[in-house]
Amino acid sequence: MSLVKKPVNGMKDILPLEMQIRDYVQSVIKETYRSFGFTPIETPCMEHIENLSNKQGGENEKLIFKVLKRGEKLRLDTAQSEGDLVDFGMRYDLTVPLARFYASHANDLPSPFKALQIGNVWRADRPQRGRYRQLMQCDIDILGEPSNLAEIELILATTMTLGRLGFRGFEVRINERRILKAMAAYSGFAQEDYDTVFIILDKMDKIGMEGVVAELAQAGFAKQSVETYMELFAGVQKAQDGISYLADTLGEYLEADVVSSMKEISESVNACKAAEFALVFDPTLVRGMSYYTGTIFEIAIPEFGGSCGGGGRYDKMIGNFTGKDVPACGFSIGFERIILLLLESGFEVPQQPKKTAYLIEKGYPGEKLAQVIAQAQEARKDGQQVLVVRMNKNKKFQKEQLSKEGYEEFVEFFNR
Amino acid sequence: MSLVKKPVNGMKDILPLEMQIRDYVQSVIKETYRSFGFTPIETPCMEHIENLSNKQGGENEKLIFKVLKRGEKLRLDTAQSEGDLVDFGMRYDLTVPLARFYASHANDLPSPFKALQIGNVWRADRPQRGRYRQLMQCDIDILGEPSNLAEIELILATTMTLGRLGFRGFEVRINERRILKAMAAYSGFAQEDYDTVFIILDKMDKIGMEGVVAELAQAGFAKQSVETYMELFAGVQKAQDGISYLADTLGEYLEADVVSSMKEISESVNACKAAEFALVFDPTLVRGMSYYTGTIFEIAIPEFGGSCGGGGRYDKMIGNFTGKDVPACGFSIGFERIILLLLESGFEVPQQPKKTAYLIEKGYPGEKLAQVIAQAQEARKDGQQVLVVRMNKNKKFQKEQLSKEGYEEFVEFFNR
C-alpha cells in the first residue's frame, strides 16, 4: 500500500498562521467563560454507539463515523448489518456526551454545574465551505438551573466572547419550543404533525414565506391552518413587540410564564450586554435537534450566511440516562466558522512576544555551540522567543523568510 | 437500546480538578516550547488507514481503532476481511501524521520547521494504571535539521518544561540506533537478527541481564555472541565514560561521527540545561518504533515506573511519503503520566483569579435581577470570576460547597 500525502477527505491540516489564531480565540473563550464561573471538562471523543443513536441528535445521527469492533468481538462471518460490526462512534456534538458525563458524575459536581467544553466533533457530511468533517466546538452549558438565569448568562457570556473577538452588529435570534407549539396548535395543526410542520418552517430563511406555504400545502395540510399560521408570522413581523402580540393573539394556547420569561430574558440581556448585538425574537427559528424543550437560540453574523452557533434548553436529556430529569441549557459557538471569518478578514493576533533568531555558521565548533545555546537559554527564561538555527548559504533569503515569521532581531555567529 | 452512563471502556471523563491541572500543564508546555521557536500545528485525528499500516509504528499498528466505511463504499455483502470494511483509522501517534503533514505542506513551511503538536491519540490497548485508550501527547519535532543541534534543542526544551512543572532528579536516557547496531555486529550477530536481538535487549530493565542472556540463548543465538554482547554492556557500566569505552572497544564497527556527536550532545546539554536532571547514556535503550534511524531518548522519572516520554531521529519517514528523505527528530512528553504524577502529588495550580459568588434568593424580581447581573458584568470585565446562582434553601451548605471550589467572597441578594 502506498502512502497518502493529503489529509482524509473533508478534514484539514492546520498550518501555523491559522493555528495561532485558533489558539488566541481559544484563550479568549476560556478566559471570558471562566469569568462567568464556567469550568472546563472533557469527555472522550468516542461514545457508545447506543448513546449516539437514540434519535436525540436529529439529522446528525445519519452522519456518525462508526468504529469497528476489535479482536474477538468482531465476527465478520456472522455479521448481518452495520450494527453487528461497531461498538463505538465518534461524537457528533458535545451535548449528548455532556448529558452522559453529568449522569455519571453528578454527585461529584456542584449544582448548578456550569460546564465549558472545547473539543472536536465528527460528522460524515458532504464537505463544503466552512464545513468540515472534523470540527471544533466550544460549548457552555448550565445543568441544574431551571430558571431563565441560565439563558441570560449563556447569552451574555457567548456575546461577550464574540465582542472580545471583534465581532459587531450580529444578531442572537431567540425562540421557544412552546411558542412554536402554541402557534401550531392555534392554527389547527394536529400534534402528531408538528415535527413535519417545523421542518418546513425551518426553511423560511431559504425559500421565504411563499415557499413555506407551498410546501405545507403540498404536504396536505388544510388551507385554513396554513393561512392562520402565516397570519401569525406576518403579525409578529408587523408588531412592535412580537411576544406581546402573540400573547394577545394566542390567548390560552400560550402559557403565561413563557411570555414573562421571554420578556425577562430580553430585558436582562439588553440591560447587561457587553457587546454590540441585537437580541431578536424570531418565531421561525426551529433548530434541528429534537432534544430541545424550551428556549432555543442561534447566532447570525452578517458577514457569514448561515448560523455561527446556537443552543437552547434540553430539560429531558439527562433523564434519558438516569430516569430523573435535570434542567439543562447550553450555547455552542461555531468555532470553525468564527475562525474562517477571522482568517478572511485578515485578523492579526495581538501582543506577540519578541522574536530573535540566532544564525550559526556551518562548521561552528561544538564546544563553542554550547555557549551560544546557553545565551539563548538565558533569554528564553525571560520569556523571549529565541530560535537557534544553522545559517544557510543564502543568508539574505533565510533572514527574509524569518522576518515573515515575525523574527525582528538576528544575531549571527561566525566560524572564526 | 438503553443508554450507557459510563465512558467507553479504557477512556475517561475529565472532571474539573484534573482539567484545571491539564490546562495549566498545557499552558506551561506551550509557553516554554514557544520560547524555543516551536510553532503549533494540528492534523486530523483520523488518518488514511494505509498511512497507519505501513509497518512504521511497530506494536502500535496492532492497536488501531478503525473507522467503518460509509454509504455506498461499505459493501458488507462482498467484504472478505476487515480491510474491505474500513478506510480511516484513529492516529496512534503524532509522528506519522506529522510526516504526512510535512510531505504535503513543506513548501509553505520554514526550513528547518520546528513543530509543536498537542493532541489526542488512540490505542486499543488493554487499559491499566496511567495507560488509557485515548491519551493526549505533546510532541516537538525539528524537520530539516541534519545536525545534532536538533537533539540538543529538543532535550533542552523538554527538560525545561518538566523543570517548570516542578519535576526534579529525573533522567533523560540516550542511545543511538547505530551504537545498538555496532554492538550487535561486533558481537557477531547477523544483520537479519538485529531486530530479534533488540526486542530481547529491550526487556533488560524488567528481566535483568540474566533474563536477557537466557532469552537470547533460547532464541538460538551462539553462546560466544551472547557472551561478547554482555561483556560490552558490563564494560559500559564499569567505565567512567561509556561512549569512549565503546569507541575504543568497537573500533571500526562504530563510526567516528556517532561518537563525537553523542559527546557533543552530552556536553551542550550539560552546559545549558535549565532543570535538575541527568543525561545518561544507556546502551540498552531500544525504543519500539522501527522508524528511528539515529539518536533515541527516553525520560525516566523516579516516582513513576515506566517511561514518561521519549523520542529520537527518524530521517527516513518523510521520504516514505515523498521519495525524498528529510532529516527529522522529535521528542514526545507522556502527558497523561505527567498529569497522573501531578494529581498523585497533590499539585495545585498557581495563581488563581479571585472568585466571587452572588447568591440570589428565590423570587427575586426579574427587573432587579438585571441590576445584579449588570454588577457581575462589570467585575467580569476586570477579569474577576463571578458566579451568579440562585440561593439554595440550605445556604450554609451551598456556601461550604462553593468554598471548596475556591469561591472566597459571597454577595447575597434578598427578595425584599
Side-chain angles (χ1 to χ4, degrees):
Chain A
M1 283 189 288
S2 68
L3 299 183
V4 189
K5 278 161 64 172
K6 290 207 167 169
V8 300
N9 185 24
M11 303 187 194
K12 66 168 179 176
D13 290 328
I14 302 169
L15 276 86
L17 175 73
E18 177 175 344
M19 198 65 204
Q20 206 178 37
I21 295 177
R22 294 173 79 94
D23 276 348
Y24 171 75
V25 171
Q26 273 198 37
S27 72
V28 171
I29 288 174
K30 278 189 190 173
E31 179 54 27
T32 308
Y33 286 163
R34 183 199 55 70
S35 78
F36 282 78
F38 288 95
T39 315
I41 62 141
E42 255 182 46
T43 68
C45 298
M46 288 180 204
E47 274 291 331
H48 303 281
I49 195 75
E50 306 92 292
N51 290 358
L52 298 176
S53 318
N54 187 41
K55 308 249 182 295
Q56 295 187 97
E59 288 297 299
N60 284 333
E61 293 197 0
K62 297 180 190 157
L63 305 175
I64 302 171
F65 282 102
K66 294 172 183 169
V67 178
L68 200 69
K69 289 181 181 174
R70 296 147 307 281
E72 290 170 4
K73 283 187 192 164
L74 180 68
R75 292 292 305 274
L76 185 51
D77 48 342
T78 60
Q80 301 287 320
S81 71
E82 257 187 52
D84 299 326
L85 296 171
V86 300
D87 52 357
F88 303 156
M90 304 305 291
R91 60 186 180 195
Y92 54 76
D93 73 5
L94 300 176
T95 310
V96 173
L98 176 67
R100 184 195 55 66
F101 176 98
Y102 191 79
S104 205
H105 304 289
N107 286 339
D108 302 317
L109 299 170
S111 178
F113 180 54
K114 299 176 84 170
L116 162 60
Q117 297 181 89
I118 301 181
N120 285 313
V121 304
W122 289 263
R123 295 173 188 171
D125 227 335
R126 196 180 298 260
Q128 51 178 286
R129 175 173 178 272
R131 180 168 291 189
Y132 302 101
R133 298 169 106 191
Q134 171 176 317
L135 55 147
M136 182 154 278
Q137 289 199 333
C138 298
D139 284 21
I140 42 174
D141 292 85
I142 304 181
L143 310 177
E145 173 57 64
S147 85
N148 58 22
L149 179 58
E151 280 84 346
I152 295 166
E153 290 268 276
L154 289 169
I155 295 170
L156 288 176
T158 303
T159 52
M160 189 190 274
T161 300
L162 290 175
R164 285 188 174 167
L165 292 172
F167 290 97
R168 304 272 177 275
F170 56 94
E171 278 186 356
V172 175
R173 297 184 183 147
I174 186 167
N175 196 8
E176 240 274 5
R177 299 286 293 189
R178 287 177 291 175
I179 293 179
L180 275 175
K181 286 179 186 169
M183 289 173 76
Y186 173 85
S187 307
F189 294 107
Q191 197 167 346
E192 61 269 27
D193 292 329
Y194 287 177
D195 279 344
T196 315
V197 173
F198 297 158
I199 288 170
I200 296 172
L201 176 65
D202 199 18
K203 303 180 187 171
M204 185 75 92
D205 55 343
K206 284 186 189 118
I207 60 176
M209 199 177 272
E210 275 178 38
V212 169
V213 169
E215 288 207 16
L216 286 173
Q218 204 178 353
F221 292 112
K223 205 179 163 197
Q224 180 60 50
S225 292
V226 177
E227 269 176 22
T228 311
Y229 202 39
M230 291 304 124
E231 277 164 22
L232 286 176
F233 291 108
V236 171
Q237 235 170 4
K238 266 181 264 166
Q240 230 180 355
D241 174 356
I243 295 282
S244 297
Y245 163 79
L246 284 182
D248 294 343
T249 312
L250 300 180
E252 63 184 9
Y253 283 95
L254 187 58
E255 295 102 309
D257 68 308
V258 175
V259 175
S260 63
S261 175
M262 288 288 280
K263 287 188 175 178
E264 272 176 29
I265 293 172
S266 168
E267 283 159 14
S268 289
V269 167
N270 282 317
C272 307
K273 67 186 183 184
E276 287 172 38
F277 71 97
L279 183 69
V280 181
F281 169 56
D282 178 358
T284 71
L285 183 68
V286 173
R287 304 277 308 154
M289 310 296 202
S290 51
Y291 51 63
Y292 289 120
T293 55
T295 37
I296 44 181
F297 21 77
E298 202 165 272
I299 304 167
I301 298 185
E303 296 92 317
F304 196 89
S307 141
C308 283
R313 186 168 275 283
Y314 51 100
D315 286 346
K316 303 283 178 191
M317 196 198 285
I318 294 167
N320 286 335
F321 285 92
T322 59
K324 198 184 155 208
D325 288 342
V326 173
C329 196
F331 207 147
S332 173
I333 289 186
F335 186 81
E336 301 295 343
R337 297 180 184 194
I338 298 296
I339 297 297
L340 189 72
L341 286 172
L342 291 177
L343 275 170
E344 287 179 350
S345 72
F347 178 82
E348 279 187 28
V349 172
Q351 290 169 332
Q352 301 280 7
K354 188 187 169 196
K355 291 176 162 190
T356 306
Y358 288 7
L359 306 182
I360 301 168
E361 202 181 19
K362 287 245 159 89
Y364 199 82
E367 64 277 15
K368 280 177 70 188
L369 184 65
Q371 292 168 26
V372 175
I373 297 173
Q375 187 179 332
Q377 289 284 86
E378 284 308 311
R380 287 163 179 165
K381 280 181 210 158
D382 295 340
Q384 276 184 55
Q385 177 164 334
V386 182
L387 181 76
V388 180
V389 284
R390 299 279 167 189
M391 194 181 289
N392 288 350
K393 273 182 192 159
N394 189 341
K395 190 174 71 178
K396 186 159 168 283
F397 179 72
Q398 185 181 19
K399 284 162 90 169
E400 278 168 17
Q401 294 302 107
L402 288 169
S403 297
K404 281 186 196 160
E405 291 170 55
Y407 286 92
E408 305 154 61
E409 193 183 62
F410 299 95
V411 187
E412 301 177 8
F413 297 88
F414 293 102
N415 177 27
R416 68 174 87 97
Chain B
M1 283 191 289
S2 69
L3 299 183
V4 190
K5 278 160 64 172
K6 290 207 167 167
V8 299
N9 186 23
M11 303 188 195
K12 65 169 181 177
D13 290 328
I14 301 170
L15 277 86
L17 176 73
E18 177 176 345
M19 198 65 204
Q20 205 178 38
I21 295 177
R22 293 172 79 95
D23 276 348
Y24 172 74
V25 171
Q26 274 198 36
S27 71
V28 171
I29 287 174
K30 278 189 191 172
E31 178 56 25
T32 308
Y33 286 162
R34 183 199 56 69
S35 79
F36 281 79
F38 288 95
T39 314
I41 63 139
E42 256 182 44
T43 68
C45 298
M46 289 180 203
E47 274 291 332
H48 303 282
I49 194 76
E50 306 92 292
N51 291 358
L52 298 176
S53 318
N54 187 39
K55 308 253 181 294
Q56 297 188 97
E59 287 298 298
N60 285 332
E61 293 197 0
K62 297 179 188 157
L63 305 175
I64 301 171
F65 282 102
K66 295 172 182 168
V67 177
L68 201 68
K69 288 181 180 174
R70 296 146 306 282
E72 289 170 4
K73 285 189 191 162
L74 180 68
R75 293 293 304 273
L76 186 52
D77 48 342
T78 60
Q80 300 288 319
S81 71
E82 256 187 53
D84 299 326
L85 296 171
V86 300
D87 52 357
F88 304 157
M90 305 304 293
R91 61 184 180 197
Y92 54 74
D93 73 5
L94 300 177
T95 310
V96 174
L98 175 67
R100 183 195 55 67
F101 176 96
Y102 191 79
S104 205
H105 305 287
N107 286 340
D108 303 317
L109 299 170
S111 177
F113 180 54
K114 300 176 84 172
L116 162 62
Q117 298 181 87
I118 302 182
N120 285 311
V121 304
W122 289 263
R123 295 172 188 172
D125 227 336
R126 196 180 296 263
Q128 49 179 286
R129 174 175 179 272
R131 180 167 292 189
Y132 303 100
R133 298 169 104 190
Q134 171 177 316
L135 55 147
M136 182 154 277
Q137 288 199 332
C138 298
D139 284 21
I140 43 174
D141 293 85
I142 303 181
L143 309 177
E145 174 55 64
S147 85
N148 58 22
L149 180 57
E151 279 85 346
I152 295 166
E153 289 268 274
L154 289 169
I155 295 171
L156 288 176
T158 304
T159 52
M160 189 190 274
T161 301
L162 290 175
R164 284 187 174 167
L165 293 172
F167 290 98
R168 302 275 177 276
F170 56 94
E171 278 185 0
V172 175
R173 297 184 184 146
I174 186 166
N175 197 9
E176 239 273 5
R177 298 288 292 190
R178 287 177 290 175
I179 293 179
L180 275 174
K181 286 180 185 167
M183 289 173 77
Y186 173 85
S187 307
F189 293 106
Q191 198 168 347
E192 61 268 28
D193 293 329
Y194 287 177
D195 278 344
T196 316
V197 172
F198 297 158
I199 287 171
I200 296 172
L201 176 65
D202 199 18
K203 302 181 187 171
M204 185 75 92
D205 56 342
K206 283 185 189 119
I207 61 176
M209 199 177 272
E210 277 178 36
V212 169
V213 169
E215 287 206 16
L216 286 173
Q218 205 178 353
F221 293 111
K223 204 180 164 196
Q224 181 60 50
S225 292
V226 177
E227 268 176 23
T228 311
Y229 202 38
M230 290 304 124
E231 276 163 23
L232 286 176
F233 291 108
V236 171
Q237 233 169 5
K238 265 181 264 165
Q240 229 178 355
D241 174 355
I243 295 281
S244 296
Y245 163 79
L246 283 181
D248 294 342
T249 312
L250 299 180
E252 63 185 9
Y253 284 95
L254 188 57
E255 295 103 310
D257 68 307
V258 175
V259 175
S260 62
S261 175
M262 286 290 278
K263 285 189 176 177
E264 271 175 30
I265 292 172
S266 168
E267 282 158 16
S268 289
V269 167
N270 283 318
C272 308
K273 66 186 184 184
E276 289 172 36
F277 71 97
L279 183 69
V280 180
F281 168 56
D282 178 358
T284 70
L285 183 68
V286 174
R287 303 279 308 157
M289 309 298 202
S290 50
Y291 50 64
Y292 289 120
T293 55
T295 37
I296 44 179
F297 19 78
E298 200 164 273
I299 304 167
I301 298 185
E303 297 92 315
F304 196 89
S307 140
C308 284
R313 185 168 277 281
Y314 51 100
D315 285 347
K316 303 283 178 192
M317 195 197 285
I318 293 166
N320 286 336
F321 285 92
T322 58
K324 198 184 155 208
D325 289 342
V326 174
C329 196
F331 207 146
S332 172
I333 289 187
F335 187 81
E336 301 295 343
R337 297 179 184 195
I338 298 296
I339 297 297
L340 190 72
L341 286 172
L342 292 177
L343 276 170
E344 286 180 351
S345 71
F347 178 82
E348 279 187 29
V349 172
Q351 291 169 329
Q352 300 281 6
K354 189 186 168 197
K355 292 177 161 189
T356 306
Y358 289 6
L359 305 182
I360 300 167
E361 201 180 22
K362 287 247 158 86
Y364 198 83
E367 63 278 15
K368 280 175 70 189
L369 184 64
Q371 293 167 27
V372 175
I373 297 173
Q375 187 180 331
Q377 289 284 86
E378 283 308 311
R380 287 164 179 166
K381 279 180 211 159
D382 296 340
Q384 276 185 54
Q385 177 164 335
V386 183
L387 181 75
V388 181
V389 284
R390 299 281 169 188
M391 193 182 290
N392 288 349
K393 274 183 189 157
N394 188 341
K395 189 175 69 178
K396 187 158 166 282
F397 179 73
Q398 185 180 19
K399 284 162 88 169
E400 279 168 17
Q401 294 301 109
L402 287 169
S403 297
K404 282 186 194 160
E405 290 171 56
Y407 286 92
E408 305 152 61
E409 191 182 64
F410 299 96
V411 186
E412 302 178 7
F413 297 87
F414 294 101
N415 177 26
R416 67 175 87 96

